[in-house]
Every structure is written in structure tokens, then in C-alpha cells.
Amino acid sequence: MKSFINLLGSRYNSVRTYDCDSSKSESLATNRKNLTRQFSIVDSFFHQRKEGERTRYPKCIFILMTIGLLSIGTGVLSHIWEPYMLIFKWKLIFENGGEIFELWRTPPVDLYIKIYLFNVTNGAEYLNGEADKMHFEEVGPYVYRELLSHENITFYDNATLFTRPSHPLVFQEHLSEGHKEDDIFLLPNIALLSIAQVASGHSYFYRLPLNLLIRQTKILPLERQTAKQFMFGYETTLTTLGNTFLPNWITFSKVGLIDRMYDFDDDFEVFYTGQDDQSMSGLYDSYMGSPNLKQWSGDHCSNIRNASDGTKFKSFIGENEQLLFFRKSMCRPQRMVQVGNDYNVDGLQATKFVFENNALDNGEINEENKCFCRKGKCLPRGLIDVTDCYYGFPIALSYPHFHEGDPALLDKVEGISPNESSHGSYFMINSLSGLPLTLSVKFQINMAMGDINSIAECERFSNMVIPTLWFEITMLKLPTSLQNRFLFYLVYLRILDRIVYYAMFIGGGLLLIYSVLRVSFTISADYSSSMKISNSRKNFYGTDKTCKENRRNSIMKNNYSKQEHGSDTERQQFLP
């Protein structure tokens, strides 16, 4: 019986020994399970199994973190690629049906030319020698709407297009402040003075018939004309005489300054489409088949490439960047400089441009401008000789009332009073798009007479600059529909683009921060729970050292029992 009890005790000790091993093994398994669990906590936090199925689906926190990362990534790509600018640059390219191209082809703007005539109030006294100076009275405005368009457009493969310009004028009596086209004034006889200038360089026998005709018909250098006749011309025997005595000089039957200025019948131009460089769309590549004007020599005076005709200027204008402006009536490219870029025109950002200082200098101040001296003869500062652009007429351009001109220009005239506020030009241009928001371009047409003492009745006009008229090409504001369209593209869309950009970063960042904090708190809580379970099990089973001591004592007891009762075979004999 004692042996049976000892045998049971031996078996009990053996179980206790293995219980300790089992506790250690279980502790290790638990730690290993906890470690695995810690490594997979993110995955278990983000995913959970569908009930009754082995598949998993993402938890909400995983979706939020993904959205946050995608938002930030999209914001970074948006900052790098600037989708608004990509779309905007695409719109700047000229192509059939393109929005900016259609605006350029037929600008839906109210473009006007205001014309002011110089009426001579003491013509008889001056012709008789009773007055030393001619007295002029400014009359006007005579307002015409310019229906600008680009016709017969052909696209070329080299990112340019061919077009013929059209500038028909329509009189606007309601804007002309009571002035009418049939108003009569005493004005210079352009035909006589032009023929006198051309004939004065010929021999006596060439001038003789002309002088006889002038005396017999009593044609005078000043004559009464209607405003319309002076601006757009009328038929006179002098034009027939000019064609007879000076063949190949003129091919038209009437002489009018505005008529000649707006003669675009045979003109053709080539512009950039922006396919290669979007900022250059709408700028000149060439005029009449060449980037250089034939009446001038040297790039500084003749090159009109990259100039604007006023419909659209260069896009993406940089700080302090200069622009070029060219119109046939100016007969030259005109450089424009910035005087400020923080202007606001009806809600649109604008950069103000004016013509550069001493733009009408002939080399007196700027040596480069000597190329504006026609045939080596330089006119006084403030005058540009454009005879070659006006069919050989002795025409010189200046600013109105000889603004910024040589004071000597006022010596033989009265009633002329230049000032910057009334006679200066300016352009308000949106620097991003290059579209003009408002503009005012002012020039004066003068007759710059040479030595015409040899022509009858013209002696008193020899070596004199006679002001005839000045004009202002103006666009006061954009039409409401066009203004709203520009506001949408240039202001509202840019604001929306910035809002979306910052929303992506801020929203994505907040979602990512929330997700990370949520995961961190969950991992921390789970880790604390695992540590508590591990410590509880250690307290229940004892430390590893205690387990080892218990196992050693159990082995010793087992050995003692073997020595006392015999081998296992012997003990088995006592078993029932």
C-alpha cells in the first residue's frame, strides 16, 4: 500500500514537473503570440473579417488614412504640375474654335478712335503776312467705332497663321459731343502741300506748269472743308495732276489723312499661334512678308517681330519686362515700359504700360534712334518722319500738341498747349493673359514741310511743321459679358484652384494625423493589456527560477523513490 502511495506520489510529482514546463511553454507561446500580435496590430486594426467568411474588409480608419495620403499626394502633384496653368496655357493657343483665338479674330470690344481737328482761325491774316503765327483751335471729338477683325485666316505648320486685317470705321454721332461730319473748318490743303513738297525738288521747267495751274485756279494752302472731307478725302484736280506729273506716286483719287491711315486693302500679316510658346500667341511674326519695316534700317527701328497690334499682348509678363506695340498708322514699333503692376481694373489685376521716355527722339538723346532719320535727315525731337508710310506725303508723327517735343516746334504756331494728363498714352494689361483691359493711344499727324519757296502760294509754309489733327484709339472698358468671362477665368478659377490646393493639404494632413494618433493609441492600449496578462500569468506560475527549482526538487524526489522501491518494472508488479 505504501509502495502504491509512493508510486502515485511519484506520478503526481512528475505531473507537477511537466506542469511547470507547460507553464513556461505557455508563457513563451503567450509572449510569442503577443509579439506577433504587436507586429500585426496595424493590419488587425485596419482590417476585420466578414462575419462567417474568411475574407476581410477595410475599416473606416484605413479609408480615412488612405484619403489623407491621396489628398496630400494630389496637392503635391498639383503644386508641381499646376493644372490651372496647364489648362490656361492650352486655352491661349490659337486654333479654330479656340476661345482666346475667337476673341482675337473678332474682338467683341468697344474700340473707338476719337479725332480732333486743328481749325485755323487766322488763315487770311497769315496768308497775307499780317500774322506771324498761325492760330489753331482744337475741335472735336469726332468719334468712330473701329470694327477690328482678322480675315482670311490660314494656319501654317510652323506655329503661325496668315491673316488680312480689317479696320472699318463707323461714325458715332451720339458720342461726338454735338460734332457732325459736315462741320466746315479752315484746314490745310493736304493735296497742294503734298504736291508742293514733292515738286520742290524738281527743276524750274518741271515746277512751271504746276505754278501756273495754282495761280490760275487760285488754289490756296488753306481751304474750307468739311470734317469728313478732310479726314476721308474728296476728289480734286490736284490728285489727277499728281498722277500726271508724278507717275507711280499715288494711285487713289482722293486724299484724306484718316482714309490713308486706315487703308488696309493690300495688307497681310503673320502672327504666332502659341503652339511652341503659349505666351507668344497673337504677336507679330511678320508684316507684309517681313519682320522688318522697309522704311527703316536696323532692328532697333524696323523690327516688329513679337510686337502686338493691340488685340492681345504677350502673356505671362514678367516684372519690368518691356513690350512692343505696332500699328500701320504709327509706321514704327513703339516700346512700352511698366510704371506699376498693382492696378485694379473692374476686379482684374492690371499692369500699366506707357511709351518709353524719348520714344520719338531722332538720336539727339538716344544714339540708337538715329535710324529714324529718313535719308539721313533728322527732324526735331518729338517728330518721326513717316513720309514713306503715307505715299510720299510730308507726314510726321508726334504726340498730341507736340507733347515731349522740341520747344522750337511751337515757335510758328499758337493755340497748342501740351500736357501729360490729356496727351499721354497708356495701356492697362492683365499680365497673366496679355489681354488689354483698357487703353488710350494718342498720336498727332503733322505736315513737316521742307523748302517750298519755289511753289506758288506756299512760301509762308516753307520749313514749317503744321499740325493737322490728333487721334486717340481708346477702349474705355470691357463689355459686361467679356468682363464676367475674364473674372471667371482670371480671378474666380484661380481662387478656387488655391482653395482646392490648400484644402487638399490641410484636409489630408488632418485625416492623416487623426489616423496616426488613433492607431498609436490603439497599439499603446493593446500593448498595455498584453503586459498585464503576461504579468498575471507570471505571478500564477511563478518565475522561471522557481519553476527550475521545483523541477529539480521533483527530479530528486523521483530518483529517491526509484532507489527506495525499485525500478519501474518492479513497481508495476504492485499495480492491480
PDB file of all heavy atoms in Angstrom, residues 335-350:
ATOM      1  N   ARG A 335       8.090 101.017 -78.176  1.00  0.00           N
ATOM      2  CA  ARG A 335       8.421 100.287 -76.954  1.00  0.00           C
ATOM      3  C   ARG A 335       7.619 100.816 -75.772  1.00  0.00           C
ATOM      4  O   ARG A 335       7.455 102.013 -75.601  1.00  0.00           O
ATOM      5  CB  ARG A 335       9.918 100.368 -76.665  1.00  0.00           C
ATOM      6  CG  ARG A 335      10.731  99.493 -77.587  1.00  0.00           C
ATOM      7  CD  ARG A 335      12.232  99.678 -77.420  1.00  0.00           C
ATOM      8  NE  ARG A 335      12.942  98.779 -78.320  1.00  0.00           N
ATOM      9  CZ  ARG A 335      13.107  98.999 -79.621  1.00  0.00           C
ATOM     10  NH1 ARG A 335      12.620 100.103 -80.170  1.00  0.00           N
ATOM     11  NH2 ARG A 335      13.741  98.127 -80.383  1.00  0.00           N
ATOM     12  N   MET A 336       7.155  99.860 -74.971  1.00  0.00           N
ATOM     13  CA  MET A 336       6.337 100.190 -73.811  1.00  0.00           C
ATOM     14  C   MET A 336       7.026  99.701 -72.546  1.00  0.00           C
ATOM     15  O   MET A 336       7.575  98.599 -72.513  1.00  0.00           O
ATOM     16  CB  MET A 336       4.951  99.548 -73.936  1.00  0.00           C
ATOM     17  CG  MET A 336       4.188  99.973 -75.173  1.00  0.00           C
ATOM     18  SD  MET A 336       2.917  98.772 -75.651  1.00  0.00           S
ATOM     19  CE  MET A 336       2.049  98.568 -74.103  1.00  0.00           C
ATOM     20  N   VAL A 337       7.001 100.513 -71.506  1.00  0.00           N
ATOM     21  CA  VAL A 337       7.638 100.174 -70.233  1.00  0.00           C
ATOM     22  C   VAL A 337       6.598 100.187 -69.119  1.00  0.00           C
ATOM     23  O   VAL A 337       5.584 100.876 -69.197  1.00  0.00           O
ATOM     24  CB  VAL A 337       8.789 101.145 -69.893  1.00  0.00           C
ATOM     25  CG1 VAL A 337       9.887 101.056 -70.942  1.00  0.00           C
ATOM     26  CG2 VAL A 337       8.265 102.583 -69.797  1.00  0.00           C
ATOM     27  N   GLN A 338       6.868  99.410 -68.064  1.00  0.00           N
ATOM     28  CA  GLN A 338       5.943  99.311 -66.944  1.00  0.00           C
ATOM     29  C   GLN A 338       6.121 100.492 -65.995  1.00  0.00           C
ATOM     30  O   GLN A 338       7.235 100.941 -65.739  1.00  0.00           O
ATOM     31  CB  GLN A 338       6.184  98.015 -66.170  1.00  0.00           C
ATOM     32  CG  GLN A 338       5.931  96.757 -66.969  1.00  0.00           C
ATOM     33  CD  GLN A 338       6.081  95.503 -66.118  1.00  0.00           C
ATOM     34  OE1 GLN A 338       5.841  95.519 -64.904  1.00  0.00           O
ATOM     35  NE2 GLN A 338       6.459  94.395 -66.744  1.00  0.00           N
ATOM     36  N   VAL A 339       4.998 100.952 -65.461  1.00  0.00           N
ATOM     37  CA  VAL A 339       5.035 102.002 -64.439  1.00  0.00           C
ATOM     38  C   VAL A 339       4.243 101.569 -63.198  1.00  0.00           C
ATOM     39  O   VAL A 339       3.896 102.406 -62.373  1.00  0.00           O
ATOM     40  CB  VAL A 339       4.494 103.339 -64.986  1.00  0.00           C
ATOM     41  CG1 VAL A 339       5.419 103.902 -66.032  1.00  0.00           C
ATOM     42  CG2 VAL A 339       3.082 103.186 -65.547  1.00  0.00           C
ATOM     43  N   GLY A 340       3.976 100.284 -63.089  1.00  0.00           N
ATOM     44  CA  GLY A 340       3.258  99.758 -61.931  1.00  0.00           C
ATOM     45  C   GLY A 340       2.498  98.507 -62.307  1.00  0.00           C
ATOM     46  O   GLY A 340       1.986  98.398 -63.419  1.00  0.00           O
ATOM     47  N   ASN A 341       2.438  97.550 -61.371  1.00  0.00           N
ATOM     48  CA  ASN A 341       1.754  96.285 -61.657  1.00  0.00           C
ATOM     49  C   ASN A 341       0.720  95.931 -60.601  1.00  0.00           C
ATOM     50  O   ASN A 341       0.323  94.770 -60.481  1.00  0.00           O
ATOM     51  CB  ASN A 341       2.774  95.152 -61.789  1.00  0.00           C
ATOM     52  CG  ASN A 341       3.662  95.031 -60.567  1.00  0.00           C
ATOM     53  OD1 ASN A 341       3.382  95.621 -59.518  1.00  0.00           O
ATOM     54  ND2 ASN A 341       4.732  94.271 -60.682  1.00  0.00           N
ATOM     55  N   ASP A 342       0.282  96.907 -59.831  1.00  0.00           N
ATOM     56  CA  ASP A 342      -0.686  96.640 -58.760  1.00  0.00           C
ATOM     57  C   ASP A 342      -2.005  97.377 -58.981  1.00  0.00           C
ATOM     58  O   ASP A 342      -2.699  97.725 -58.036  1.00  0.00           O
ATOM     59  CB  ASP A 342      -0.092  97.013 -57.407  1.00  0.00           C
ATOM     60  CG  ASP A 342       0.356  98.466 -57.344  1.00  0.00           C
ATOM     61  OD1 ASP A 342       0.381  99.125 -58.408  1.00  0.00           O
ATOM     62  OD2 ASP A 342       0.691  98.944 -56.252  1.00  0.00           O
ATOM     63  N   TYR A 343      -2.344  97.613 -60.227  1.00  0.00           N
ATOM     64  CA  TYR A 343      -3.590  98.294 -60.533  1.00  0.00           C
ATOM     65  C   TYR A 343      -4.745  97.300 -60.581  1.00  0.00           C
ATOM     66  O   TYR A 343      -4.550  96.111 -60.830  1.00  0.00           O
ATOM     67  CB  TYR A 343      -3.490  99.029 -61.877  1.00  0.00           C
ATOM     68  CG  TYR A 343      -2.550 100.210 -61.854  1.00  0.00           C
ATOM     69  CD1 TYR A 343      -1.192 100.047 -62.118  1.00  0.00           C
ATOM     70  CD2 TYR A 343      -3.016 101.487 -61.570  1.00  0.00           C
ATOM     71  CE1 TYR A 343      -0.321 101.130 -62.097  1.00  0.00           C
ATOM     72  CE2 TYR A 343      -2.151 102.578 -61.563  1.00  0.00           C
ATOM     73  CZ  TYR A 343      -0.809 102.391 -61.830  1.00  0.00           C
ATOM     74  OH  TYR A 343       0.049 103.468 -61.804  1.00  0.00           O
ATOM     75  N   ASN A 344      -5.943  97.821 -60.339  1.00  0.00           N
ATOM     76  CA  ASN A 344      -7.149  97.001 -60.400  1.00  0.00           C
ATOM     77  C   ASN A 344      -8.133  97.656 -61.360  1.00  0.00           C
ATOM     78  O   ASN A 344      -8.504  98.819 -61.172  1.00  0.00           O
ATOM     79  CB  ASN A 344      -7.778  96.864 -59.010  1.00  0.00           C
ATOM     80  CG  ASN A 344      -8.968  95.923 -58.996  1.00  0.00           C
ATOM     81  OD1 ASN A 344     -10.009  96.211 -59.559  1.00  0.00           O
ATOM     82  ND2 ASN A 344      -8.813  94.787 -58.327  1.00  0.00           N
ATOM     83  N   VAL A 345      -8.519  96.929 -62.388  1.00  0.00           N
ATOM     84  CA  VAL A 345      -9.477  97.434 -63.373  1.00  0.00           C
ATOM     85  C   VAL A 345     -10.716  96.556 -63.324  1.00  0.00           C
ATOM     86  O   VAL A 345     -10.720  95.423 -63.826  1.00  0.00           O
ATOM     87  CB  VAL A 345      -8.867  97.444 -64.789  1.00  0.00           C
ATOM     88  CG1 VAL A 345      -9.896  97.939 -65.799  1.00  0.00           C
ATOM     89  CG2 VAL A 345      -7.622  98.309 -64.837  1.00  0.00           C
ATOM     90  N   ASP A 346     -11.750  97.050 -62.670  1.00  0.00           N
ATOM     91  CA  ASP A 346     -13.021  96.316 -62.556  1.00  0.00           C
ATOM     92  C   ASP A 346     -12.826  94.906 -62.024  1.00  0.00           C
ATOM     93  O   ASP A 346     -13.401  93.934 -62.517  1.00  0.00           O
ATOM     94  CB  ASP A 346     -13.731  96.269 -63.914  1.00  0.00           C
ATOM     95  CG  ASP A 346     -14.141  97.644 -64.417  1.00  0.00           C
ATOM     96  OD1 ASP A 346     -14.440  98.507 -63.578  1.00  0.00           O
ATOM     97  OD2 ASP A 346     -14.151  97.847 -65.639  1.00  0.00           O
ATOM     98  N   GLY A 347     -11.976  94.785 -61.013  1.00  0.00           N
ATOM     99  CA  GLY A 347     -11.757  93.496 -60.377  1.00  0.00           C
ATOM    100  C   GLY A 347     -10.645  92.668 -60.961  1.00  0.00           C
ATOM    101  O   GLY A 347     -10.309  91.617 -60.413  1.00  0.00           O
ATOM    102  N   LEU A 348     -10.042  93.110 -62.045  1.00  0.00           N
ATOM    103  CA  LEU A 348      -8.962  92.365 -62.687  1.00  0.00           C
ATOM    104  C   LEU A 348      -7.623  93.048 -62.421  1.00  0.00           C
ATOM    105  O   LEU A 348      -7.513  94.278 -62.496  1.00  0.00           O
ATOM    106  CB  LEU A 348      -9.202  92.263 -64.191  1.00  0.00           C
ATOM    107  CG  LEU A 348     -10.404  91.432 -64.635  1.00  0.00           C
ATOM    108  CD1 LEU A 348     -10.665  91.622 -66.121  1.00  0.00           C
ATOM    109  CD2 LEU A 348     -10.178  89.958 -64.324  1.00  0.00           C
ATOM    110  N   GLN A 349      -6.616  92.235 -62.122  1.00  0.00           N
ATOM    111  CA  GLN A 349      -5.266  92.782 -61.905  1.00  0.00           C
ATOM    112  C   GLN A 349      -4.708  93.318 -63.210  1.00  0.00           C
ATOM    113  O   GLN A 349      -4.875  92.714 -64.270  1.00  0.00           O
ATOM    114  CB  GLN A 349      -4.352  91.685 -61.341  1.00  0.00           C
ATOM    115  CG  GLN A 349      -2.915  92.121 -61.094  1.00  0.00           C
ATOM    116  CD  GLN A 349      -2.022  92.002 -62.322  1.00  0.00           C
ATOM    117  OE1 GLN A 349      -2.287  91.196 -63.218  1.00  0.00           O
ATOM    118  NE2 GLN A 349      -0.978  92.799 -62.388  1.00  0.00           N
ATOM    119  N   ALA A 350      -4.073  94.489 -63.139  1.00  0.00           N
ATOM    120  CA  ALA A 350      -3.555  95.115 -64.359  1.00  0.00           C
ATOM    121  C   ALA A 350      -2.171  95.701 -64.110  1.00  0.00           C
ATOM    122  O   ALA A 350      -1.860  96.178 -63.014  1.00  0.00           O
ATOM    123  CB  ALA A 350      -4.501  96.210 -64.843  1.00  0.00           C
TER     124      ALA A 350
END
